[in-house]
Amino acid sequence: MSKGFAENRTDVTMSELVAEPRPKPAVPMKPLGISSNLLGYIGIDTIIEQMRKKTMKTGFDFNIMVVGQSGLGKSTLINTLFKSQVSRKSASWNREEKIPKTVEIKAIGHVIEEGGVKMKLTVIDTPGFGDQINNENCWEPIEKYINEQYEKFLKEEVNIARKKRIPDTRVHCCLYFISPTGHSLRPLDLEFMKHLSKVVNIVPIIAKADTMTLEEKMEFKQRVRKELEVNGIEFYPQKEFDEDLEDKTENDKIRQESMPFAVVGSDKEYQVNGKRVLGRKTPWGIIEVENLTHCEFALLRDFVIRTHLQDLKEVTHNIHYETYRARRLNDNGGLPPGEGVLPPAPASPCPATIAE
Amino acid sequence: MSKGFAENRTDVTMSELVAEPRPKPAVPMKPLGISSNLLGYIGIDTIIEQMRKKTMKTGFDFNIMVVGQSGLGKSTLINTLFKSQVSRKSASWNREEKIPKTVEIKAIGHVIEEGGVKMKLTVIDTPGFGDQINNENCWEPIEKYINEQYEKFLKEEVNIARKKRIPDTRVHCCLYFISPTGHSLRPLDLEFMKHLSKVVNIVPIIAKADTMTLEEKMEFKQRVRKELEVNGIEFYPQKEFDEDLEDKTENDKIRQESMPFAVVGSDKEYQVNGKRVLGRKTPWGIIEVENLTHCEFALLRDFVIRTHLQDLKEVTHNIHYETYRARRLNDNGGLPPGEGVLPPAPASPCPATIAE
């Protein structure tokens, strides 16, 4: 007894894509019985395992930037996020280190491995931001740095002999530290986010949230969200880039409830109820950074690392980099950088042929 | 009691990448105790799960081409591989269908889903190949088709406004069907593979292997490998693209033992020892296609679908496509197709400025 293949089975669904005329099947297609499920296994879903193996071998890049006035705990928070001294500065304030007179950009890289997966992490610090008497245009060096990384990537991408994997120095995530004033966003906060939200994924966070009571925190968060909305500032994850309803549902919750994450960082460990936790010890109690009733650090960590890291990378590549690339090529008459009217090969003037 | 973060733990390893001067840590780094393993979990390896979710949503493309004389069971084998009527032709021979007078290229697409993963499969058939009296240059339409797909991809890639996911019609795998003569490769086999192995991943297979005894098969396989080697023909997986020792060990075994896979295809089911199997019934017994003592179909299936599918796609993109792209841009003076000296915008002659 013989039967043809089935097109409709519980585990395999098929539909034709190409509308090419297709001869009638000589063997009529009948559904196979349940007993042939194993017989019918193709192995399409092994692609996941194959991709996992490749990722385990190559690892991945992740570049995170921290922006905010000095004293908001940027270095400590980054160290807390990655459970390691990955920040440029040590956790404690270094007396010798002076606030720079202009905004500087300092990048430091580490390789962190966990569960066999290697992450090439680069932390980009921006000392001096917001620390001057006059902070006009102090987002400019930051925007310039971000665009330079896009340019670098673009130059590699249009090269004739390309690297197999283009080194990715593009900023995938920019944590913007809001001062826990309890009042409102400062003009500098608004200016920065207005300028930068178009070029990079900004995740606004309220720093040192342990200075606020629960009520103050809720009220402040709501006010910040309102101000961002009134000023037309979109932060990551941007509504327009939700890919489906599942994305939308998940991200709406983050946009409307979690953002901006009110966090506390610490690289010190304490014993609480027999368990060792990261926290800050005060005379009135220990603030546990990973305790959700104390602050939203764990929410931020889950968001940036455990649920949205790949998406941060993809939005950087598919949206921000593509926007930069399209503008760059448009400015250059559709030619890659380095070609046509741009250096190093400016077009020779050729007025004689214009009339032709 | 408080401690600093550790840089050396069993599950997390770190090493510095950027050789920027780094201030001495004020908090000395001591290894954390074993009890803090959980406390120390960052979540880097969740990237795998994040990538899995993305792949489940988007699915993936896989384009497979079959080349070989008519009557070697190409359609049946493709149907057997994907456990479905995915071939252009039905399993049985259609009396009305005539052998075309020249080589034709026929592509047909399906979506197959398994374990929640969607594969957009395109099967590219090449009827008429090797079927003429004079088969000179009959690989040319095939090479042309393969290059056209690279050109399409390149055109999309250099577009200013790019699609988020460039539709991938490039041929990821070309199954080349060798006739089970038991003698040697024909000149056409050698010519085809010589020309095409530089532009596409060729997997040579011995068709209808049930016509050979075990000894004949082993001898024929060895002879084919020898002939390919003598003629300097590299098939997939190419030695030079092994990425590490693990790849090399695994692929050496395939190159030296399995290739070319001697296979039998069937889309008919039979009952053997109470189990339903795909096979071919003969008066002297049932040839079970998935029985490794009968033929190497299961080896081929595992190789093409379950272990090397992602690599077939990556080698196509990173090697064959890159080679095409580099040649194309070099021919065009480094400009993308459509720019510079190529249509639609040929450069105006400008002799007056040359002396300048």
Side-chain angles (χ1 to χ4, degrees), chain A residues 1-3 5 9 11-18 20 22-23 25-27 29 32 35 39-48 50-55 57 60 79 81-86 88 90 92 106-115 117 119 157-160 162 164-165 243-244 246-247 267-269 276 301 305-311 314 318 321-322 325-326 330 334-336 339 349-350 353, chain B residues 1-3 5 9 11-18 20 22-23 25-27 29 32 35 39-48 50-55 57 60 79 81-86 88 90 92 106-115 117 119 157-160 162 164-165 243-244 246-247 267-269 276 301 305-311 314 318 321-322 325-326 330 334-336 339 349-350 353:
Chain A
M1 187 205 75
S2 79
K3 278 189 182 177
F5 283 121
R9 280 179 289 173
D11 55 337
V12 179
T13 55
M14 294 185 60
S15 54
E16 235 172 88
L17 264 185
V18 177
E20 223 191 352
R22 195 175 163 212
V27 179
M29 289 163 220
L32 293 177
S35 64
L39 175 72
Y41 178 63
I42 307 163
I44 292 168
D45 47 0
T46 63
I47 191 85
I48 304 280
Q50 294 178 45
M51 290 167 78
R52 187 192 66 80
K53 270 184 89 173
K54 293 258 179 196
T55 305
K57 275 190 188 181
F60 67 95
N79 289 341
L81 263 181
F82 297 104
K83 297 281 172 12
S84 334
Q85 295 284 2
V86 290
R88 189 181 58 91
S90 64
S92 306
K106 304 260 188 188
I108 184 158
H110 285 88
V111 176
I112 312 185
E113 191 175 332
E114 202 171 44
V117 183
M119 172 168 74
E157 201 192 65
V158 298
N159 247 345
I160 292 187
R162 292 197 282 202
K164 209 163 138 191
R165 281 178 201 97
E243 290 204 340
D244 53 25
E246 193 194 335
D247 273 10
D267 52 5
K268 302 230 188 323
E269 275 188 29
R276 294 167 78 182
R301 191 259 330 273
I305 302 177
R306 300 186 189 174
T307 63
H308 282 67
L309 198 150
Q310 179 64 17
D311 191 66
E314 291 189 11
N318 293 330
Y321 169 65
E322 280 300 316
R325 178 182 170 278
N330 265 327
L335 298 180
E339 302 293 344
C350 189
T353 54
Chain B
M1 189 202 77
S2 79
K3 278 188 184 178
F5 284 121
R9 279 178 289 172
D11 55 338
V12 179
T13 54
M14 294 185 60
S15 55
E16 234 171 89
L17 266 185
V18 178
E20 224 193 351
R22 196 174 163 213
V27 179
M29 290 164 220
L32 292 177
S35 65
L39 176 71
Y41 178 63
I42 307 163
I44 292 168
D45 47 0
T46 62
I47 192 83
I48 304 279
Q50 294 177 45
M51 289 167 81
R52 188 191 65 80
K53 269 184 89 173
K54 293 258 180 196
T55 306
K57 275 189 187 181
F60 67 94
N79 289 341
L81 263 181
F82 296 105
K83 297 283 173 8
S84 333
Q85 296 283 3
V86 289
R88 188 180 59 90
S90 64
S92 306
K106 304 261 186 188
I108 185 159
H110 284 89
V111 176
I112 312 186
E113 192 175 330
E114 202 171 45
V117 183
M119 173 168 73
E157 201 192 69
V158 298
N159 246 344
I160 292 187
R162 293 197 281 202
K164 208 164 139 190
R165 282 178 201 97
E243 290 205 338
D244 52 25
E246 193 194 334
D247 272 11
D267 53 4
K268 302 230 188 323
E269 276 188 31
R276 294 166 78 181
R301 192 259 329 272
I305 302 178
R306 300 186 189 174
T307 63
H308 281 66
L309 197 150
Q310 180 63 17
D311 191 65
E314 290 187 13
N318 293 330
Y321 170 66
E322 280 301 315
R325 178 182 170 277
N330 266 327
L335 298 181
E339 302 293 345
C350 190
T353 54

Side-chain angles (χ1 to χ4, degrees), chain A residues 68-70 99-103 126-142 176 186-189 191-192 195:
Chain A
Q69 274 182 290
S70 64
I99 289 173
K101 293 235 166 63
T102 52
V103 178
T126 55
F129 175 87
D131 289 337
Q132 318 301 323
I133 294 174
N134 179 352
N135 287 302
E136 235 170 277
N137 301 333
C138 77
W139 59 84
E140 280 179 355
I142 297 173
Y176 185 79
R186 292 165 174 173
L188 178 58
D189 300 330
E191 278 300 300
F192 177 85
H195 279 90

Side-chain angles (χ1 to χ4, degrees), chain A residues 191-239:
Chain A
E191 278 300 300
F192 177 85
M193 289 196 258
K194 201 178 270 177
H195 279 90
L196 273 288
S197 63
K198 300 264 178 280
V199 299
V200 71
N201 293 320
I202 293 184
V203 174
I205 59 182
I206 297 168
K208 298 196 159 173
D210 48 343
T211 58
M212 294 188 286
T213 66
L214 202 60
E215 291 74 32
E216 286 167 352
K217 191 174 77 180
M218 291 331 265
E219 216 189 292
F220 188 46
K221 281 182 68 157
Q222 213 161 9
R223 198 169 314 131
V224 169
R225 280 200 296 269
K226 185 87 197 165
E227 279 185 276
L228 290 174
E229 202 192 316
V230 167
N231 286 278
I233 295 167
E234 285 245 43
F235 46 83
Y236 176 85
Q238 298 90 330
K239 258 183 236 135

Side-chain angles (χ1 to χ4, degrees), chain A residues 126-191:
Chain A
T126 55
F129 175 87
D131 289 337
Q132 318 301 323
I133 294 174
N134 179 352
N135 287 302
E136 235 170 277
N137 301 333
C138 77
W139 59 84
E140 280 179 355
I142 297 173
E143 187 172 10
K144 184 164 164 271
Y145 177 86
I146 291 169
N147 282 332
E148 277 166 3
Q149 312 317 308
Y150 293 143
E151 181 72 16
K152 246 192 223 174
F153 197 92
L154 180 56
K155 281 227 167 91
E156 290 282 350
E157 201 192 65
V158 298
N159 247 345
I160 292 187
R162 292 197 282 202
K163 295 193 180 89
K164 209 163 138 191
R165 281 178 201 97
I166 299 179
D168 192 1
T169 61
R170 298 170 299 183
V171 179
H172 301 122
C173 178
C174 171
L175 292 182
Y176 185 79
F177 287 66
I178 297 165
S179 186
T181 59
H183 301 299
S184 64
L185 287 173
R186 292 165 174 173
L188 178 58
D189 300 330
L190 289 171
E191 278 300 300

Side-chain angles (χ1 to χ4, degrees), chain B residues 212-246:
Chain B
M212 294 187 286
T213 67
L214 202 59
E215 292 74 29
E216 287 167 350
K217 189 174 80 180
M218 291 332 263
E219 218 189 291
F220 188 45
K221 281 181 68 155
Q222 215 161 8
R223 197 169 316 130
V224 169
R225 278 199 298 268
K226 185 90 196 160
E227 279 186 275
L228 290 175
E229 203 191 315
V230 166
N231 286 278
I233 295 168
E234 284 246 43
F235 47 83
Y236 176 85
Q238 298 91 332
K239 259 184 233 131
E240 53 184 319
F241 309 141
D242 290 343
E243 290 205 338
D244 52 25
L245 198 69
E246 193 194 334

